[in-house]
Amino acid sequence: MIALIPGLGGALVVAGLIGVNMGLRKSPDRPPAPTRMRLPLAARLGATSPRTRALLIAGVGAGLLTALLTGWFVAALLVPAVVVGLPILLSAPPAGSKIERVEALEEWTRSLSGVLTVGVGLEQALIATLRSTPDAIRPEVTHLVARLRARWGTEDALRAFADEIDDATGDLVAANLILGARRRGAGLASVLEALAESVAADVRARREIEADRAKPRATARYVTLITVGVLLVLGLTGQYIQPYSSPVGQVILVVLLSMYVATLVWMRAMATGKPLPRFIGAAATRQQEVSRT
């Protein structure tokens, strides 16, 4: 046992020298963090939806009234947070609308393929599909047609179209159209038809994934509604929440509720998928610059 002590001391000395060597090495300079413009409070409130502003005003009024009637001054903060925050946390993320846009993109690609089989050029085919474009991507296709009519280059107009779609599947469609605009071959219609089948498979996969993600969100929604109902019933009795009526108790109550809200935020983050990286447009350029730095 005594013989192990010198060996242990030598190992610690070697580990210390390695740590000092690593600490003295110069690390590469990190790129500066992007500066964010901090908007004033009035501008932030103006950027929210009318429904959120109405809920915030109602929550602030209810919180102040509750604080004056009951003496629970923490209600002035909790009630607005519950009124505004719970609908946001328990609502489904905007993945459904993105799936509808991808599905509309698949329908539009199939329609474009059918128009190209007639023998018209790519620009004329893009303009002709405007009438049958699904509503989910009609603004983007309208802008694309307007750029073509304004004598934009076809490739530039398609790149702007991909930026407005802002999806990896939209980049894939735009990339095939850009290649078709460059080569002017006769096989673009068949390529777009095969691409439409691939996009349809992508839509089916996204719907299946979104259905699986909706299950934990529904469980969290039901548990939260039951918890809020039980807390309201117990709060009306006055005995269960009596220990929290003191200033220290109110602070503890805020901490406990904050932990519960953090759990909801964590569950929502787990059930929200990350979009696939884009490879066309300004967003893809920024991603490449960040990866290089």
Side-chain angles (χ1 to χ4, degrees):
M1 185 66 182
I2 298 177
L4 293 177
I5 296 178
L8 180 60
L12 292 176
V13 171
V14 173
L17 293 176
I18 294 175
V20 171
N21 185 22
M22 294 180 64
L24 293 177
R25 290 182 179 178
K26 293 184 179 181
S27 59
D29 297 334
R30 295 183 178 180
T35 57
R36 297 181 179 179
M37 296 179 62
R38 296 188 176 274
L39 299 176
L41 181 60
R44 294 180 184 179
L45 292 177
T48 57
S49 62
R51 178 176 176 271
T52 303
R53 289 198 296 268
L55 288 176
L56 181 59
I57 294 173
V60 171
L64 293 176
L65 183 62
T66 304
L68 293 176
L69 294 179
T70 62
W72 286 63
F73 298 103
V74 72
L77 298 176
L78 290 181
V79 174
V82 170
V83 171
V84 178
L86 278 184
I88 297 175
L89 290 176
L90 299 181
S91 62
S97 60
K98 294 182 179 180
I99 295 176
E100 292 178 358
R101 285 169 59 84
V102 176
E103 188 174 13
L105 192 63
E106 178 262 333
E107 182 179 349
W108 178 73
T109 305
R110 199 179 300 275
S111 175
L112 180 61
S113 174
V115 174
L116 286 172
T117 56
V118 181
V120 298
L122 176 59
E123 291 78 9
Q124 290 77 14
L126 291 171
I127 296 174
T129 57
L130 180 59
R131 296 180 179 179
S132 60
T133 300
D135 294 336
I137 60 171
R138 181 176 291 274
E140 290 80 6
V141 177
T142 301
H143 295 163
L144 172 62
V145 172
R147 293 186 182 99
L148 292 176
R149 288 174 175 171
R151 304 298 181 182
W152 276 45
T154 305
E155 182 172 345
D156 295 336
L158 289 172
R159 288 183 180 275
F161 171 74
D163 279 336
E164 291 183 348
I165 294 295
D166 195 18
D167 190 271
T169 304
D171 286 354
L172 183 61
V173 174
N176 282 272
L177 293 176
I178 289 172
L179 290 177
R182 290 178 179 177
R183 298 184 179 182
R184 300 291 175 178
L188 181 58
S190 59
V191 171
L192 291 180
E193 184 67 26
L195 180 60
E197 295 293 336
S198 177
V199 175
D202 183 21
V203 171
R204 289 192 296 268
R206 293 193 186 195
R207 290 193 182 279
E208 293 177 359
I209 293 173
E210 185 61 24
D212 291 336
R213 288 173 177 168
K215 298 176 183 178
R217 288 199 299 265
T219 302
R221 186 181 299 112
Y222 295 145
V223 171
T224 302
L225 292 177
I226 293 173
T227 303
V228 172
V230 171
L231 290 178
L232 289 176
V233 172
L234 294 176
L236 294 177
T237 61
Q239 297 178 357
Y240 181 80
I241 62 173
Q242 189 63 32
Y244 297 102
S245 59
S246 63
V248 177
Q250 293 185 28
V251 173
I252 295 175
L253 180 62
V254 171
V255 172
L256 294 177
L257 293 178
S258 300
M259 294 173 63
Y260 189 85
V261 171
T263 304
L264 292 179
V265 173
W266 179 49
M267 291 183 63
R268 183 180 176 85
M270 291 177 61
T272 302
K274 295 182 179 179
L276 295 175
R278 296 185 51 202
F279 57 91
I280 291 180
T285 304
R286 289 194 297 267
Q287 291 176 0
Q288 293 176 359
E289 291 177 354
V290 172
S291 62
R292 289 174 183 175
T293 56

